Amino acid sequence: MKKVHIFNAGPCVLPEPAIEAAIEALKDFKGTGMSVIEISHRAKEWESVMDECRSLWRELLDIPEEYEVLFLSSGASMGFLYVAMNFLEKKAAYLESGAWAKKALKEAKGLGEAYAIASSADKNFCYIPKGYEIPTDLDYFHITTNNTIYGTEIKEDMDCPVPLIADMSSDIMSRPVDVRKYAMIYGGAQKNVGPAGVSFCIVKKDLLGKVSRYIPTMLDLRTHIKGTSMFNTPPVFSIFVMNETLKWIKAQGGLKVIQENNEAKAALLYDEIDRNSLFVGTAAKEDRSIMNVCFVMAPGYEELQDEFMAFAKERKMVGIKGHRSVGGFRASIYNACPVESVKALVECMQEFEKLHK
Ligand SMILES: *Cc1c(COP(=O)(O)O)cnc(C)c1O
């Protein structure tokens, strides 16, 4: 058991066995007498980690043959540029569901014609925009499946008449995904599948190579496909921990089980937010994220915010401060967040209510 309850938004809580394995590998990697950060990335012991990691991605998400899985040493923010560089020829549309979506759109605008097809900026992104129509003449349509800052989530794989590209930084591996519905899925590892320093990209190979622009070598996804994610030195430590995290996900029973656990954890917390007269949720109920749970003090109790923060801190809750653009609180309850931590937070909210009733 961890000594504190970690609700950090990212980097965030990771499975205990992954951290234990990382400690071991830092000392002696697979009996080589060297640390995982000392070996050559061309060593066969390392290649086997890369292979295992790729196959775990394929197995857990049921990734079809026509897709490649890449590990890139750049965050999701660089992913925004990968998308536009590799897919934008004439026109692309973006769903403006939050700050990350806006940043993704900005990169595309820098390279060509891109626009927001719908936006929830009018209500500080507290809901997922709906009721828009996707034109069929787009190079792609870009969505952010989980809006980490606002706690809203697109929980189903949508049908899309044009290639669908998704930033899944903060809900990848939280549920099974129908990969076939996407042209590309990408994100940073540090929210649900590992430490910072590596990002993932699942891309349908035959959709690449269709743009006429010059793509710098490192930004061309085909470079990394050809180089099997080792065109240049990969972030070995981050990939090692990601692999261990995926092993843990598999040992839990795979993504169906993970999803059930996540939904149960989220329900515990949302039920308490809805029941407790001191707190209210900020995200539209139908769009509530199972990964990031955002809430604020209820009207009339706003002045208790700092007191609750201190109260929770005393009870070993870490990372529940909301993002500055939403305020209040955010509990990020990613895969590796134990249900015990969620229960502890719920109890903390109940005790706090008793103090003030
Ligand atoms: C955190 C986050 C990002 C940015 O990730 P970096 O790896 O820090 O660039 C992008 N999109 C979403 C949805 C995120 O949660």
Side-chain angles (χ1 to χ4, degrees):
M1 270 296 277
K2 310 235 182 220
K3 292 187 185 69
V4 293
H5 300 293
I6 305 173
F7 296 104
N8 286 331
C12 61
V13 61
L14 287 172
E16 208 68 47
I19 292 175
E20 291 301 328
I23 293 169
E24 265 318 299
L26 272 176
K27 290 191 219 151
D28 184 1
F29 174 65
K30 293 190 179 216
T32 57
M34 290 175 275
S35 168
V36 65
I37 52 174
E38 291 175 319
I39 55 145
S40 162
H41 62 290
R42 302 288 174 200
K44 66 176 190 322
E45 290 87 352
W46 176 253
E47 296 260 11
S48 76
V49 175
M50 292 292 282
D51 290 342
E52 180 175 33
C53 195
R54 260 189 297 265
S55 14
L56 281 168
W57 272 90
R58 285 195 175 281
E59 183 184 339
L60 289 166
L61 278 170
D62 190 21
I63 300 173
E65 266 302 303
E66 355 31 301
Y67 289 76
E68 201 67 56
V69 183
L70 302 173
F71 311 131
L72 305 166
S73 58
S74 47
S77 302
M78 188 68 100
F80 303 156
L81 193 51
Y82 274 114
V83 171
M85 273 280 174
N86 289 274
F87 289 93
L88 181 57
E89 180 71 8
K90 288 204 197 79
K91 195 163 52 158
Y94 282 65
L95 189 64
E96 197 182 70
S97 57
W100 294 117
K102 277 175 78 170
K103 286 183 179 166
L105 173 57
K106 176 170 179 279
E107 292 312 305
K109 278 183 174 166
L111 291 178
E113 191 184 342
Y115 68 102
I117 200 168
S119 173
S120 48
D122 59 335
K123 290 190 177 161
N124 197 28
F125 301 115
C126 75
Y127 67 99
I128 300 286
K130 296 173 195 77
Y132 51 87
E133 193 145 337
I134 305 165
T136 53
D137 63 342
L138 300 171
D139 296 322
Y140 63 88
F141 175 48
H142 182 282
I143 57 172
T144 312
T145 49
N146 186 62
N147 298 283
T148 324
I149 296 174
Y150 315 91
T152 63
E153 186 176 15
I154 300 172
K155 281 168 272 196
E156 268 156 34
D157 305 307
M158 62 170 78
D159 293 312
C160 184
V162 297
L164 178 64
I165 298 184
D167 172 0
M168 291 198 188
S169 290
S170 51
D171 63 350
I172 189 74
M173 298 274 183
S174 68
R175 63 169 175 93
V177 164
D178 185 355
V179 174
R180 285 174 183 82
K181 290 200 167 167
Y182 300 85
M184 175 169 151
I185 295 170
Y186 71 100
Q190 70 274 18
K191 311 251 167 65
N192 223 6
V193 287
V198 65
S199 61
F200 56 88
C201 171
I202 302 163
V203 64
K204 192 156 188 262
K205 285 178 278 190
D206 66 1
L207 296 175
L208 295 172
K210 299 203 167 156
V211 294
S212 53
R213 74 170 51 78
Y214 165 73
I215 308 178
T217 310
M218 279 294 283
L219 287 176
D220 191 335
L221 288 171
R222 290 169 302 177
T223 302
H224 302 289
I225 291 176
K226 198 151 165 263
T228 59
S229 300
M230 297 221 285
F231 170 77
N232 67 321
T233 318
V236 288
F237 185 69
S238 301
I239 293 174
F240 180 87
V241 184
M242 177 162 74
N243 187 42
E244 293 299 324
T245 305
L246 298 187
K247 283 197 216 165
W248 175 85
I249 292 175
K250 185 177 168 178
Q252 301 303 294
L255 296 187
K256 266 242 147 312
V257 177
I258 288 278
Q259 178 180 30
E260 281 162 23
N261 294 345
N262 285 335
E263 282 171 353
K265 284 188 289 176
L268 273 178
L269 195 45
Y270 283 122
D271 284 351
E272 178 59 19
I273 289 168
D274 293 341
R275 187 209 60 78
N276 194 312
S277 52
L278 260 47
F279 302 97
V280 282
T282 54
K285 280 193 181 167
E286 69 275 17
D287 297 326
R288 280 173 163 180
S289 165
I290 59 166
M291 297 276 93
N292 311 96
V293 179
C294 297
F295 55 104
V296 293
M297 299 310 305
Y301 295 104
E302 290 90 346
E303 79 286 358
L304 291 179
Q305 175 163 321
D306 291 347
E307 194 184 323
F308 179 68
M309 198 67 86
F311 189 80
K313 196 173 168 196
E314 273 170 30
R315 282 153 187 78
K316 309 218 178 319
M317 311 282 150
V318 176
I320 61 161
K321 192 174 179 2
H323 189 274
R324 62 190 175 281
S325 60
V326 179
F329 312 99
R330 169 177 55 176
S332 298
I333 51 174
Y334 298 117
N335 289 348
C337 172
V339 67
E340 289 76 22
S341 289
V342 177
K343 285 183 180 159
L345 178 55
V346 165
E347 275 165 31
C348 178
M349 293 163 77
Q350 290 169 347
E351 279 177 45
F352 193 69
E353 186 188 35
K354 281 192 198 120
L355 273 184
H356 291 280
K357 277 285 173 183

